[in-house]
Amino acid sequence: MTSPASEGQRKLKLLAVTACPTGIAHTYMAAEKLAQAAAALGIEMKVETQGSIGAENVLSDNDVREADGIIIAADKDVALDRFAGKKVLSVPVADGIHRPEQLIEQVQSAAVHAGDHGLPAGGGGGGAGGGKERSAAYKALMNGVSHMIPFVVVGGLLLAVSIALGGHSTPKGIEFDKDSFWFYVNTLGTLGFKLMLPIFSGYIAFALGDRPALVPGMIGGFLAYDGVTIYGADANAGFLGAIATGFLAGYLVIWIRKVKVPKFVQPIMPIIVIPIVSTLALGLFYIYVIGQPISWVFTHLTSWLNGMTGSSAIVLGALIGLMIAFDMGGPVNKTAFLVAVGLIGTNNAVMGMAAAAIPVMPLGQGLATLLRRKLYTDQERETGIAALFMGFFGISEGAIPFAAARPAQVIPANMLGGAVAGAVAGVAGVTDSVPHGGPIVSLFGAVGGAAMFFVAIAIGTAVTALTTNALIDIKERRGRRGEAGTAAAVVPEPALAGVAVGAGAGSGGTGAGGSAGGAGAAGAGVPAGSGDQGASALSVQASERPGSTAAPEVLSGYLTARTVKVQLASHDKDAAIREMAEMLASTGNVRDVDELVRVALAREAQGTTGLGEEIAIPHAKTDAVSVPTVGFARSAEGIEWGSLDGTRAKLIFMISVPEAAAGDEHLRILALLSRKLMDTGFRGRLSEAGDAAAVLEVLGEIR
């Protein structure tokens, strides 16, 4: 490693930015670990944290100008424009926690960020190591999904409402009285769906190549959505095609940036040259190279499937359902649907198979988020509720965000559920006389064998939900056995219960990892008598009041001698949470111990609050407590808490705040604890403190 002395007597100066999807514990843990490692190596480092309470310790222009390198330890997009001309190393946030020394060494030989738009020279997310390219691709995909979801939800719900209240069944499908109110509501919903894939593709490209990639990405996404109209293709490529165009556009822009051009051309490269060249290249490549094979596949699939219509009902039903579920609007889906539509009037049973399979994907994915909430982010849980609604109305696009985010798990599960639903409908002789699917068509009286139609949908939905969760769970288990950086990408980060519990109305959309980008707007206010609520509200009131013999206030008085237990009697997580809740109740601040325990355990069900390093911070936001209260307890033998690093929890903090409390003090408490607990010496002193008074004295160091 380069030493400060070798830098010409000038002390090496590094910067870092830490950020995670929820912006709570890991953000601050990584910041503290990096700062500690730099101090131990004699290197000057300033770390900016982009947490749920906003950016803190923000890097100034002077900081950047004087820096010898910048470490980006983040699992979400961090704007890199300000680091132009500097060595930039981009890694997952978990790397900042688990290998800070190596990052400090690697950043000194990292690629120089080319400036302009979010990627180091050389592209692909920057930094050394084989995993960085995958990390950049993953974040790009998630960027596209998160921007697409509002269009799916708004478009889908407008379509569903218009169908329910203004649609009527005809041989051509669900139609509306032209120029009626519900006709225009349906038109708006359709427009939302038209924009869905361009937005998806465009923001995948944007995450890779920034603004110059947005235009080719969106145009490519529109080609994937409507190739039939634009260039006369026989079928559209659907969301899989949008993924392809997004990545093609992003990496094409990265490649074009590497081309050396005269200086007089450089200023117009990002706003004129790159967008035009990349749009032309991608668009023409898609039309002539990608579009033709898709048309060929569609034509031959149609012929093949028409030849299958004389086979047994169970085989044909399974095949129709499998194809319907595969790409949700792509050539495979469209083939099965159009074949079924073409047989209406001569063989309505084929449309019955398709109609049973069409809602299985959104219903199955929505049910999956309800059955195993901890496997999903807040945004996914909210989208799951919308998907259930869309599924009832036969809008299969409600499942696209799930398939786009986890194609390896969701698409096979969708196909299995769709095949089962189609097969059951085929065996039962279900028929459908209109070209539409989902339970809604039965309410219009278009379905024959309605009871078995609902049975087929229910079985297919259950198969999809259970298979999806099983495959996601398998992936997570493998991730936990892998390196910590991979595990951190799939395990929900600690967030306050009550912020994310309940993905439907009332959740506020602001939970950990949620679409509002952080953890909750409502938190705990400072209780009366707790002292100054200004800038010092974060720090421990370590000094005693004049003339007072009381112990120093810890965490603004939230943690007191009454809420410290030197040794827990419990030996498992559930019992430990109850024991600590009863300890908090001794302060008189807890109205309902059972409810506090229930909410805390519900939070654990979403994902472990074990942070590793023998630390756990269970927490609950509930009106079972009247004022913010924090407890601390130790376990000599440790309690299994599901921590990512496999350690048993020996130092346990429990945070409880009222549901209706104002402000975000609870997040600040969690950030303070997460940061301080990364200090090995502090943890050692906390472990060795002999009694409650000694524990409070050590905790008084938190500032």
Side-chain angles (χ1 to χ4, degrees), residues 245-279:
T245 57
F247 280 106
L248 283 172
Y251 286 117
L252 180 61
V253 167
I254 291 171
W255 178 78
I256 294 174
R257 277 205 189 121
K258 296 179 181 179
V259 177
K260 300 294 184 183
V261 296
K263 285 188 176 181
F264 72 89
V265 178
Q266 290 177 1
I268 63 171
M269 285 291 288
I271 59 174
I272 297 178
V273 177
I274 294 177
I276 289 177
V277 171
S278 58
T279 298

mmCIF file of all heavy atoms in Angstrom, residues 245-279:
data_model
loop_
_atom_site.group_PDB
_atom_site.id
_atom_site.type_symbol
_atom_site.label_atom_id
_atom_site.label_comp_id
_atom_site.label_asym_id
_atom_site.label_seq_id
_atom_site.Cartn_x
_atom_site.Cartn_y
_atom_site.Cartn_z
ATOM 1 N N THR A 245 -32.901 -3.726 -24.728
ATOM 2 C CA THR A 245 -32.604 -2.405 -25.300
ATOM 3 C C THR A 245 -32.016 -1.470 -24.251
ATOM 4 O O THR A 245 -31.152 -0.637 -24.575
ATOM 5 C CB THR A 245 -33.870 -1.771 -25.898
ATOM 6 O OG1 THR A 245 -34.889 -1.680 -24.891
ATOM 7 C CG2 THR A 245 -34.388 -2.588 -27.068
ATOM 8 N N GLY A 246 -32.445 -1.591 -22.999
ATOM 9 C CA GLY A 246 -31.882 -0.748 -21.943
ATOM 10 C C GLY A 246 -30.400 -0.992 -21.757
ATOM 11 O O GLY A 246 -29.594 -0.043 -21.706
ATOM 12 N N PHE A 247 -30.027 -2.253 -21.651
ATOM 13 C CA PHE A 247 -28.607 -2.561 -21.457
ATOM 14 C C PHE A 247 -27.797 -2.274 -22.715
ATOM 15 O O PHE A 247 -26.661 -1.786 -22.638
ATOM 16 C CB PHE A 247 -28.438 -4.018 -21.025
ATOM 17 C CG PHE A 247 -28.713 -4.243 -19.566
ATOM 18 C CD1 PHE A 247 -29.872 -4.857 -19.151
ATOM 19 C CD2 PHE A 247 -27.805 -3.809 -18.608
ATOM 20 C CE1 PHE A 247 -30.136 -5.049 -17.805
ATOM 21 C CE2 PHE A 247 -28.057 -3.990 -17.262
ATOM 22 C CZ PHE A 247 -29.223 -4.611 -16.850
ATOM 23 N N LEU A 248 -28.365 -2.565 -23.878
ATOM 24 C CA LEU A 248 -27.649 -2.256 -25.119
ATOM 25 C C LEU A 248 -27.383 -0.762 -25.236
ATOM 26 O O LEU A 248 -26.272 -0.338 -25.574
ATOM 27 C CB LEU A 248 -28.463 -2.739 -26.323
ATOM 28 C CG LEU A 248 -28.444 -4.237 -26.615
ATOM 29 C CD1 LEU A 248 -29.449 -4.572 -27.715
ATOM 30 C CD2 LEU A 248 -27.042 -4.690 -27.023
ATOM 31 N N ALA A 249 -28.378 0.059 -24.928
ATOM 32 C CA ALA A 249 -28.209 1.505 -25.021
ATOM 33 C C ALA A 249 -27.166 1.998 -24.028
ATOM 34 O O ALA A 249 -26.301 2.820 -24.362
ATOM 35 C CB ALA A 249 -29.544 2.210 -24.779
ATOM 36 N N GLY A 250 -27.243 1.502 -22.785
ATOM 37 C CA GLY A 250 -26.301 1.945 -21.760
ATOM 38 C C GLY A 250 -24.862 1.603 -22.097
ATOM 39 O O GLY A 250 -23.968 2.458 -22.023
ATOM 40 N N TYR A 251 -24.633 0.354 -22.478
ATOM 41 C CA TYR A 251 -23.265 -0.058 -22.784
ATOM 42 C C TYR A 251 -22.774 0.514 -24.113
ATOM 43 O O TYR A 251 -21.565 0.733 -24.299
ATOM 44 C CB TYR A 251 -23.158 -1.582 -22.780
ATOM 45 C CG TYR A 251 -23.202 -2.150 -21.382
ATOM 46 C CD1 TYR A 251 -24.234 -2.987 -20.976
ATOM 47 C CD2 TYR A 251 -22.214 -1.827 -20.459
ATOM 48 C CE1 TYR A 251 -24.284 -3.494 -19.686
ATOM 49 C CE2 TYR A 251 -22.253 -2.325 -19.170
ATOM 50 C CZ TYR A 251 -23.287 -3.159 -18.787
ATOM 51 O OH TYR A 251 -23.330 -3.649 -17.508
ATOM 52 N N LEU A 252 -23.689 0.771 -25.035
ATOM 53 C CA LEU A 252 -23.297 1.419 -26.287
ATOM 54 C C LEU A 252 -22.783 2.829 -26.014
ATOM 55 O O LEU A 252 -21.754 3.256 -26.564
ATOM 56 C CB LEU A 252 -24.496 1.460 -27.244
ATOM 57 C CG LEU A 252 -24.264 2.118 -28.611
ATOM 58 C CD1 LEU A 252 -23.182 1.383 -29.390
ATOM 59 C CD2 LEU A 252 -25.575 2.129 -29.411
ATOM 60 N N VAL A 253 -23.457 3.553 -25.133
ATOM 61 C CA VAL A 253 -23.009 4.903 -24.780
ATOM 62 C C VAL A 253 -21.653 4.844 -24.083
ATOM 63 O O VAL A 253 -20.764 5.670 -24.346
ATOM 64 C CB VAL A 253 -24.063 5.592 -23.890
ATOM 65 C CG1 VAL A 253 -23.494 6.850 -23.248
ATOM 66 C CG2 VAL A 253 -25.292 5.945 -24.714
ATOM 67 N N ILE A 254 -21.467 3.896 -23.186
ATOM 68 C CA ILE A 254 -20.166 3.744 -22.520
ATOM 69 C C ILE A 254 -19.066 3.519 -23.557
ATOM 70 O O ILE A 254 -17.979 4.110 -23.472
ATOM 71 C CB ILE A 254 -20.216 2.567 -21.524
ATOM 72 C CG1 ILE A 254 -21.127 2.918 -20.345
ATOM 73 C CG2 ILE A 254 -18.814 2.227 -21.021
ATOM 74 C CD1 ILE A 254 -21.397 1.748 -19.422
ATOM 75 N N TRP A 255 -19.353 2.677 -24.551
ATOM 76 C CA TRP A 255 -18.353 2.382 -25.578
ATOM 77 C C TRP A 255 -18.062 3.620 -26.426
ATOM 78 O O TRP A 255 -16.903 3.915 -26.725
ATOM 79 C CB TRP A 255 -18.860 1.241 -26.460
ATOM 80 C CG TRP A 255 -17.912 0.898 -27.563
ATOM 81 C CD1 TRP A 255 -16.763 0.160 -27.490
ATOM 82 C CD2 TRP A 255 -18.016 1.332 -28.924
ATOM 83 N NE1 TRP A 255 -16.151 0.092 -28.711
ATOM 84 C CE2 TRP A 255 -16.895 0.794 -29.613
ATOM 85 C CE3 TRP A 255 -18.949 2.100 -29.635
ATOM 86 C CZ2 TRP A 255 -16.699 1.014 -30.979
ATOM 87 C CZ3 TRP A 255 -18.750 2.310 -30.978
ATOM 88 C CH2 TRP A 255 -17.628 1.775 -31.645
ATOM 89 N N ILE A 256 -19.105 4.354 -26.809
ATOM 90 C CA ILE A 256 -18.898 5.549 -27.636
ATOM 91 C C ILE A 256 -18.060 6.576 -26.889
ATOM 92 O O ILE A 256 -17.223 7.279 -27.480
ATOM 93 C CB ILE A 256 -20.248 6.159 -28.069
ATOM 94 C CG1 ILE A 256 -20.992 5.194 -28.998
ATOM 95 C CG2 ILE A 256 -20.048 7.501 -28.756
ATOM 96 C CD1 ILE A 256 -22.386 5.648 -29.357
ATOM 97 N N ARG A 257 -18.247 6.668 -25.573
ATOM 98 C CA ARG A 257 -17.470 7.634 -24.780
ATOM 99 C C ARG A 257 -15.978 7.371 -24.851
ATOM 100 O O ARG A 257 -15.163 8.276 -24.660
ATOM 101 C CB ARG A 257 -17.906 7.542 -23.315
ATOM 102 C CG ARG A 257 -19.144 8.334 -22.987
ATOM 103 C CD ARG A 257 -19.074 8.644 -21.508
ATOM 104 N NE ARG A 257 -20.322 9.225 -21.066
ATOM 105 C CZ ARG A 257 -21.078 8.702 -20.113
ATOM 106 N NH1 ARG A 257 -20.729 7.597 -19.526
ATOM 107 N NH2 ARG A 257 -22.178 9.309 -19.748
ATOM 108 N N LYS A 258 -15.613 6.120 -25.065
ATOM 109 C CA LYS A 258 -14.190 5.776 -25.088
ATOM 110 C C LYS A 258 -13.497 6.231 -26.370
ATOM 111 O O LYS A 258 -12.271 6.281 -26.431
ATOM 112 C CB LYS A 258 -14.024 4.263 -24.939
ATOM 113 C CG LYS A 258 -14.507 3.701 -23.608
ATOM 114 C CD LYS A 258 -14.329 2.196 -23.581
ATOM 115 C CE LYS A 258 -14.835 1.614 -22.278
ATOM 116 N NZ LYS A 258 -14.703 0.130 -22.239
ATOM 117 N N VAL A 259 -14.294 6.544 -27.385
ATOM 118 C CA VAL A 259 -13.712 6.961 -28.661
ATOM 119 C C VAL A 259 -13.063 8.336 -28.505
ATOM 120 O O VAL A 259 -13.667 9.279 -27.988
ATOM 121 C CB VAL A 259 -14.800 7.010 -29.763
ATOM 122 C CG1 VAL A 259 -14.204 7.516 -31.076
ATOM 123 C CG2 VAL A 259 -15.419 5.626 -29.942
ATOM 124 N N LYS A 260 -11.829 8.450 -28.933
ATOM 125 C CA LYS A 260 -11.107 9.715 -28.871
ATOM 126 C C LYS A 260 -11.591 10.645 -29.979
ATOM 127 O O LYS A 260 -11.631 10.262 -31.142
ATOM 128 C CB LYS A 260 -9.599 9.480 -29.015
ATOM 129 C CG LYS A 260 -9.006 8.581 -27.938
ATOM 130 C CD LYS A 260 -9.079 9.214 -26.561
ATOM 131 C CE LYS A 260 -8.394 8.353 -25.513
ATOM 132 N NZ LYS A 260 -8.520 8.926 -24.165
ATOM 133 N N VAL A 261 -11.988 11.837 -29.608
ATOM 134 C CA VAL A 261 -12.475 12.809 -30.594
ATOM 135 C C VAL A 261 -11.700 14.112 -30.418
ATOM 136 O O VAL A 261 -11.120 14.367 -29.349
ATOM 137 C CB VAL A 261 -13.989 13.064 -30.414
ATOM 138 C CG1 VAL A 261 -14.779 11.792 -30.678
ATOM 139 C CG2 VAL A 261 -14.295 13.623 -29.040
ATOM 140 N N PRO A 262 -11.682 14.954 -31.444
ATOM 141 C CA PRO A 262 -11.005 16.254 -31.321
ATOM 142 C C PRO A 262 -11.624 17.086 -30.199
ATOM 143 O O PRO A 262 -12.808 16.944 -29.871
ATOM 144 C CB PRO A 262 -11.239 16.900 -32.691
ATOM 145 C CG PRO A 262 -11.489 15.766 -33.608
ATOM 146 C CD PRO A 262 -12.200 14.722 -32.799
ATOM 147 N N LYS A 263 -10.839 17.977 -29.641
ATOM 148 C CA LYS A 263 -11.317 18.782 -28.516
ATOM 149 C C LYS A 263 -12.527 19.637 -28.870
ATOM 150 O O LYS A 263 -13.401 19.861 -28.045
ATOM 151 C CB LYS A 263 -10.180 19.681 -28.008
ATOM 152 C CG LYS A 263 -9.132 18.930 -27.204
ATOM 153 C CD LYS A 263 -8.146 19.894 -26.557
ATOM 154 C CE LYS A 263 -7.161 19.135 -25.672
ATOM 155 N NZ LYS A 263 -6.196 20.048 -25.014
ATOM 156 N N PHE A 264 -12.593 20.119 -30.112
ATOM 157 C CA PHE A 264 -13.706 20.997 -30.459
ATOM 158 C C PHE A 264 -15.031 20.220 -30.520
ATOM 159 O O PHE A 264 -16.104 20.810 -30.462
ATOM 160 C CB PHE A 264 -13.429 21.709 -31.793
ATOM 161 C CG PHE A 264 -13.523 20.825 -33.014
ATOM 162 C CD1 PHE A 264 -14.744 20.650 -33.678
ATOM 163 C CD2 PHE A 264 -12.407 20.156 -33.486
ATOM 164 C CE1 PHE A 264 -14.822 19.854 -34.796
ATOM 165 C CE2 PHE A 264 -12.497 19.346 -34.598
ATOM 166 C CZ PHE A 264 -13.697 19.188 -35.257
ATOM 167 N N VAL A 265 -14.963 18.889 -30.611
ATOM 168 C CA VAL A 265 -16.172 18.066 -30.657
ATOM 169 C C VAL A 265 -16.620 17.669 -29.244
ATOM 170 O O VAL A 265 -17.808 17.412 -29.016
ATOM 171 C CB VAL A 265 -15.934 16.798 -31.513
ATOM 172 C CG1 VAL A 265 -17.177 15.907 -31.541
ATOM 173 C CG2 VAL A 265 -15.534 17.185 -32.928
ATOM 174 N N GLN A 266 -15.698 17.637 -28.308
ATOM 175 C CA GLN A 266 -16.002 17.123 -26.978
ATOM 176 C C GLN A 266 -17.189 17.802 -26.289
ATOM 177 O O GLN A 266 -18.014 17.122 -25.666
ATOM 178 C CB GLN A 266 -14.754 17.202 -26.100
ATOM 179 C CG GLN A 266 -13.673 16.220 -26.519
ATOM 180 C CD GLN A 266 -12.403 16.356 -25.681
ATOM 181 O OE1 GLN A 266 -12.334 17.169 -24.764
ATOM 182 N NE2 GLN A 266 -11.400 15.560 -26.019
ATOM 183 N N PRO A 267 -17.348 19.130 -26.389
ATOM 184 C CA PRO A 267 -18.478 19.759 -25.685
ATOM 185 C C PRO A 267 -19.847 19.304 -26.173
ATOM 186 O O PRO A 267 -20.819 19.322 -25.409
ATOM 187 C CB PRO A 267 -18.269 21.252 -25.950
ATOM 188 C CG PRO A 267 -16.814 21.391 -26.255
ATOM 189 C CD PRO A 267 -16.440 20.141 -26.970
ATOM 190 N N ILE A 268 -19.945 18.917 -27.454
ATOM 191 C CA ILE A 268 -21.263 18.522 -27.971
ATOM 192 C C ILE A 268 -21.466 17.004 -27.937
ATOM 193 O O ILE A 268 -22.544 16.527 -28.330
ATOM 194 C CB ILE A 268 -21.472 19.044 -29.418
ATOM 195 C CG1 ILE A 268 -20.449 18.416 -30.371
ATOM 196 C CG2 ILE A 268 -21.424 20.555 -29.443
ATOM 197 C CD1 ILE A 268 -20.744 18.710 -31.833
ATOM 198 N N MET A 269 -20.458 16.276 -27.496
ATOM 199 C CA MET A 269 -20.598 14.815 -27.461
ATOM 200 C C MET A 269 -21.791 14.368 -26.619
ATOM 201 O O MET A 269 -22.643 13.594 -27.095
ATOM 202 C CB MET A 269 -19.305 14.179 -26.943
ATOM 203 C CG MET A 269 -18.170 14.169 -27.940
ATOM 204 S SD MET A 269 -18.476 13.043 -29.341
ATOM 205 C CE MET A 269 -18.269 11.457 -28.540
ATOM 206 N N PRO A 270 -21.930 14.815 -25.350
ATOM 207 C CA PRO A 270 -23.009 14.258 -24.521
ATOM 208 C C PRO A 270 -24.401 14.722 -24.891
ATOM 209 O O PRO A 270 -25.383 14.048 -24.554
ATOM 210 C CB PRO A 270 -22.632 14.721 -23.110
ATOM 211 C CG PRO A 270 -21.789 15.928 -23.298
ATOM 212 C CD PRO A 270 -21.045 15.716 -24.579
ATOM 213 N N ILE A 271 -24.522 15.864 -25.568
ATOM 214 C CA ILE A 271 -25.867 16.384 -25.831
ATOM 215 C C ILE A 271 -26.317 16.184 -27.279
ATOM 216 O O ILE A 271 -27.510 16.233 -27.569
ATOM 217 C CB ILE A 271 -25.958 17.889 -25.474
ATOM 218 C CG1 ILE A 271 -24.946 18.709 -26.268
ATOM 219 C CG2 ILE A 271 -25.788 18.090 -23.985
ATOM 220 C CD1 ILE A 271 -25.085 20.212 -26.083
ATOM 221 N N ILE A 272 -25.387 15.952 -28.188
ATOM 222 C CA ILE A 272 -25.777 15.794 -29.603
ATOM 223 C C ILE A 272 -25.226 14.494 -30.186
ATOM 224 O O ILE A 272 -25.979 13.618 -30.616
ATOM 225 C CB ILE A 272 -25.292 16.997 -30.452
ATOM 226 C CG1 ILE A 272 -25.961 18.292 -29.975
ATOM 227 C CG2 ILE A 272 -25.593 16.752 -31.934
ATOM 228 C CD1 ILE A 272 -25.502 19.532 -30.723
ATOM 229 N N VAL A 273 -23.913 14.358 -30.190
ATOM 230 C CA VAL A 273 -23.280 13.255 -30.916
ATOM 231 C C VAL A 273 -23.652 11.898 -30.327
ATOM 232 O O VAL A 273 -24.150 11.010 -31.036
ATOM 233 C CB VAL A 273 -21.748 13.430 -30.934
ATOM 234 C CG1 VAL A 273 -21.105 12.235 -31.640
ATOM 235 C CG2 VAL A 273 -21.369 14.729 -31.631
ATOM 236 N N ILE A 274 -23.436 11.723 -29.011
ATOM 237 C CA ILE A 274 -23.689 10.413 -28.402
ATOM 238 C C ILE A 274 -25.157 10.012 -28.487
ATOM 239 O O ILE A 274 -25.467 8.888 -28.900
ATOM 240 C CB ILE A 274 -23.182 10.385 -26.943
ATOM 241 C CG1 ILE A 274 -21.648 10.517 -26.916
ATOM 242 C CG2 ILE A 274 -23.608 9.097 -26.245
ATOM 243 C CD1 ILE A 274 -21.060 10.569 -25.517
ATOM 244 N N PRO A 275 -26.108 10.891 -28.125
ATOM 245 C CA PRO A 275 -27.523 10.471 -28.235
ATOM 246 C C PRO A 275 -27.944 10.108 -29.654
ATOM 247 O O PRO A 275 -28.662 9.132 -29.862
ATOM 248 C CB PRO A 275 -28.289 11.692 -27.721
ATOM 249 C CG PRO A 275 -27.327 12.411 -26.844
ATOM 250 C CD PRO A 275 -25.993 12.214 -27.483
ATOM 251 N N ILE A 276 -27.499 10.894 -30.652
ATOM 252 C CA ILE A 276 -27.910 10.634 -32.041
ATOM 253 C C ILE A 276 -27.287 9.338 -32.544
ATOM 254 O O ILE A 276 -27.972 8.463 -33.099
ATOM 255 C CB ILE A 276 -27.537 11.819 -32.953
ATOM 256 C CG1 ILE A 276 -28.433 13.022 -32.634
ATOM 257 C CG2 ILE A 276 -27.682 11.424 -34.424
ATOM 258 C CD1 ILE A 276 -28.089 14.257 -33.435
ATOM 259 N N VAL A 277 -25.985 9.191 -32.346
ATOM 260 C CA VAL A 277 -25.299 7.991 -32.848
ATOM 261 C C VAL A 277 -25.841 6.738 -32.169
ATOM 262 O O VAL A 277 -26.119 5.730 -32.829
ATOM 263 C CB VAL A 277 -23.775 8.125 -32.626
ATOM 264 C CG1 VAL A 277 -23.071 6.800 -32.943
ATOM 265 C CG2 VAL A 277 -23.206 9.239 -33.496
ATOM 266 N N SER A 278 -26.002 6.803 -30.855
ATOM 267 C CA SER A 278 -26.469 5.613 -30.131
ATOM 268 C C SER A 278 -27.919 5.279 -30.477
ATOM 269 O O SER A 278 -28.282 4.107 -30.595
ATOM 270 C CB SER A 278 -26.318 5.814 -28.626
ATOM 271 O OG SER A 278 -27.036 6.950 -28.174
ATOM 272 N N THR A 279 -28.753 6.307 -30.676
ATOM 273 C CA THR A 279 -30.156 6.053 -31.037
ATOM 274 C C THR A 279 -30.248 5.418 -32.417
ATOM 275 O O THR A 279 -30.996 4.437 -32.615
ATOM 276 C CB THR A 279 -30.958 7.364 -30.999
ATOM 277 O OG1 THR A 279 -30.947 7.898 -29.675
ATOM 278 C CG2 THR A 279 -32.395 7.121 -31.421
#
